[in-house]
Amino acid sequence: MRRRWPYLIGKPLLMPALAARHVMGTDEPSRAVLTADALSWVGDIALMGSGRRWFLTGVGSFFGAHLAYIATYRDRSSMPLLGTRGRRRFLGGAAALAGGMALAARRQDPTLAAPVAAYGLTLAVMVASAAAVDDGRGRDLLLPGAGLFLVSDALIGVQQFVAGEDSRALEAAVLGTYAVAQALITEGLTRTR
């Protein structure tokens, strides 16, 4: 797909701008948040490339970013991750979807199945961790942000492994949900401790 200039300029600038927002918006910037921002930025750049190596670099970078988000969310939670039936059901369903996406990825390239499955599970744990954040510690922004991240990545999976075609509308939906997701997460982690 031939990408338009707003994508080529906007996507690489998103995470540095959000990292700057975090640094300027808090007296004690979080090392984990800045790590997640940096890894997300590397992932953004990698996913602008084409081919297996670029894709796996992007998946690996976002995998690391989600681990940093999970650690940050768990620090803001006083309840067990699997402490509610809803979170347990969500993780079960998300695991099934990650498995389905891994099977779809395997049809395209067998070496992608395990990384896609591991990434999907980590993304699901990140969303469940956001749901477990205590009231007053950013959950009102973190959970919608994490949920939109899941939507954005599901759209990428559909585009890459199911639809198999480039679509400007789908690309706009991916970028829009991703940008809003990252902005909500940054704001939730900046405004509250």
Side-chain angles (χ1 to χ4, degrees):
M1 169 191 278
R2 188 165 169 239
R3 304 209 193 265
R4 295 183 180 195
W5 69 266
Y7 174 88
L8 295 173
I9 294 171
K11 191 163 186 190
L13 294 178
L14 175 65
M15 293 316 299
L18 292 175
R21 163 69 183 118
H22 180 68
V23 168
M24 292 185 298
T26 184
D27 292 335
E28 285 185 53
S30 165
R31 196 171 279 170
V33 172
L34 294 176
T35 298
D37 289 349
L39 287 167
S40 294
W41 179 74
V42 170
D44 287 343
I45 300 301
L47 292 177
M48 291 175 74
S50 61
R52 181 188 331 153
R53 176 175 282 167
W54 287 109
F55 181 77
L56 289 174
T57 299
V59 167
S61 295
F62 280 110
F63 179 87
H66 292 318
L67 292 177
Y69 284 140
I70 290 166
T72 302
Y73 298 165
R74 296 306 301 145
D75 285 345
R76 293 167 175 250
S77 178
S78 61
M79 47 184 125
L81 180 62
L82 300 176
T84 68
R85 182 178 295 190
R87 285 197 298 274
R88 289 190 299 271
R89 286 182 179 168
F90 168 77
L91 284 172
L97 289 174
M101 196 61 71
L103 289 174
R106 187 176 189 278
R107 283 193 329 230
Q108 183 179 14
D109 181 343
T111 63
L112 298 179
V116 166
Y119 177 79
L121 291 173
T122 304
L123 178 60
V125 171
M126 189 270 289
V127 175
S129 296
V133 169
D134 295 338
D135 283 335
R137 301 205 62 202
R139 183 175 60 198
D140 61 326
L141 296 172
L142 298 174
L143 183 54
L148 281 173
F149 214 125
L150 179 68
V151 169
S152 178
D153 283 0
L155 291 172
I156 290 172
V158 166
Q159 184 177 28
Q160 289 279 323
F161 307 124
V162 178
E165 62 185 55
D166 290 330
S167 159
R168 289 193 192 275
L170 191 53
E171 186 69 37
V174 167
L175 190 55
T177 53
Y178 172 72
V180 172
Q182 289 283 30
L184 286 169
I185 290 169
T186 296
E187 197 62 26
L189 293 172
T190 300
R191 286 197 312 181
T192 59
R193 296 292 280 162

